[in-house]
């Protein structure tokens, strides 16, 4: 199997900024509690004329433009989401249509919660190798605000809406590694479309313990598979659920804190969108440059986890 590298990135967020103080007007909470427990200061929620599909299409369009490719070049389109607008048509089908991608390509959604974008990369790599296509468009997009119970202060302060996207391209690049896993459980739950109203529930402390053990395990597996350690990485992008989770991992691994990117203060936890939004920010800010090596790790509902070591080979910042 050939490896893949990242050749374009993009992101989109809705227009409504919701601060911790805004939430304190709805539930019994405070900016102080949310900031110190999670690192989150604000998040974005979709307004009436915005939805998951519109975010996905915007982020995907930006990633495609950033890659310098045309719609005809894309051979696989995958959206990772737990909060799509419809059970069917899928989010990926709408991205295919609105971006004018070819009809003779697989376009479908995957659900691996917050690990979904990284699952998407590995699924796309397999499909590219199997079909002879060269480029895939992967989107992580969530409108979690519509799944949240706005009376439950233990969850409604954590999540936000947004989308991130990347184009990945088959290449002769030698460095690439991935790890994927699942441990079925009900620690994080949300009903999709159905007779019961959607309410996201989470056993926060169990998820915290899971996250702080699975991230080091993923990093260890990626290091073993790639033969490269954290010191060889230019940046590490973990799922942006909680600042304390990332700080715990940095301490446990005695890692360089500067390598671990954090942006949950501005976005909250955007589930499948969190890793690609962080990736696009790093690229657009010039903190990830062509040729840089990235380690990315996701974890979330399922329970699922995923990691990748992958090179950024985009045009943005040579
Ligand atoms: N504001 C004020 N008080 C609150 C709030 C709030 N928003 N939420 C809970 N509390 C209270 C609780 O009621 C409790 O009060 P009590 O002691 O009187 O009973 C107290 O704060 C402590 O609650 P805990 O749940 O023990 O708080 P904890 O320190 O564990 O922090 C948190 C909760 C932030 C959710 C933490 O457990 C966590 O980050 N877990 C990981 C969650 C995560 O990573 N999820 C994402 C991964 S999966 C995905 O992305 C879908």
């Amino acid at each position: 199997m050939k490896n893949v590298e990242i050749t374009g990135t993009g992101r989109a967020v809705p227009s409504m900024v919701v601060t911790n103080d805004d939430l304190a007007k709805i539930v019994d909470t405070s900016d102080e509690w949310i900031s110190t427990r999670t690192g989150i200061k604000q998040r974005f929620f979709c307004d009436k004329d915005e939805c998951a599909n519109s975010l996905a299409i915007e982020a995907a369009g930006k990633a495609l433009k950033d890659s310098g490719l045309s719609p005809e070049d894309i051979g696989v389109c995958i959206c990772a989401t737990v909060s799509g607008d419809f059970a069917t048509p899928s989010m990926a089908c709408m991205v295919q249509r609105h971006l004018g991608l070819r009809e003779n390509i697989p376009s479908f959604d995957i659900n691996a919660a917050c690990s979904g974008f990284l699952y998407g990369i590995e699924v796309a790599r397999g499909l590219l190798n199997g079909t002879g296509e060269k480029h895939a468009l992967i989107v992580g997009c969530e409108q979690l605000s519509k799944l949240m119970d706005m009376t439950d202060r233990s969850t409604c302060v954590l999540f936000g809406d947004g989308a991130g996207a990347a184009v990945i391209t088959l290449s002769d690049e030698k460095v690439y590694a991935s790890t994927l896993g699942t441990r079925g459980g009900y620690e994080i739950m949300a009903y999709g479309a159905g007779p019961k109203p959607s309410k996201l529930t989470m056993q926060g402390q169990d998820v915290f313990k899971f996250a702080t053990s699975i991230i080091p395990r993923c990093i260890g597996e990626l290091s073993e598979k790639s033969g490269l350690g954290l010191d060889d990485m230019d940046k590490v992008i973990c799922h942006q659920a909680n600042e304390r989770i990332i700080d715990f991992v940095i301490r446990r691994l005695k890692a360089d804190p500067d390598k671990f990117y954090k942006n949950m203060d501005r976005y909250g936890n955007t589930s499948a969108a969190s890793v690609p939004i962080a990736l696009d920010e790093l690229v657009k800010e010039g903190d990830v440059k062509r040729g840089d090596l990235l380690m990315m790790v996701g974890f979330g509902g399922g329970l699922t986890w995923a990691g990748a070591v992958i090179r950024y080979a985009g045009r943005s910042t040579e």
Side-chain angles (χ1 to χ4, degrees), residues 27-30 33-34 37-38 82 113-115 144 152-159 188-189 200-211 239-245 269-272 274 299-303:
V27 283
D28 182 14
T29 189
S30 65
W33 193 97
I34 303 170
R37 289 294 220 291
T38 69
V82 298
C114 314
S115 316
L144 293 170
D152 176 7
R153 67 178 180 173
S154 66
T155 55
C156 76
V157 302
L158 302 176
F159 299 99
I188 305 165
M189 268 191 77
L200 194 152
T201 61
M202 183 172 66
Q203 295 156 31
Q205 292 189 356
D206 291 341
V207 177
F208 194 94
K209 282 183 210 140
F210 162 68
H239 170 44
Q240 304 288 307
N242 184 323
E243 184 171 35
R244 286 193 299 144
I245 291 173
N269 176 349
T270 56
S271 190
S274 102
F299 59 91
L303 298 167

Side-chain angles (χ1 to χ4, degrees), residues 88-150:
T88 191
S90 72
M91 185 181 278
C93 289
M94 290 299 109
V95 170
Q96 181 272 341
R97 173 175 160 168
H98 282 266
L99 265 53
L101 307 183
R102 276 187 281 131
E103 291 186 356
N104 62 336
I105 64 165
S107 296
F108 58 95
D109 291 357
I110 57 174
N111 174 345
C114 314
S115 316
F117 175 76
L118 296 175
Y119 266 66
I121 289 181
E122 186 58 4
V123 170
R125 182 172 83 110
L127 279 169
L128 290 176
N129 273 286
T131 58
E133 296 282 353
K134 197 154 184 235
H135 311 281
L137 184 55
I138 324 286
V139 183
C141 174
E142 303 289 4
Q143 188 184 352
L144 293 170
S145 59
K146 72 186 172 201
L147 295 187
M148 274 162 8
D149 177 355
M150 292 309 286

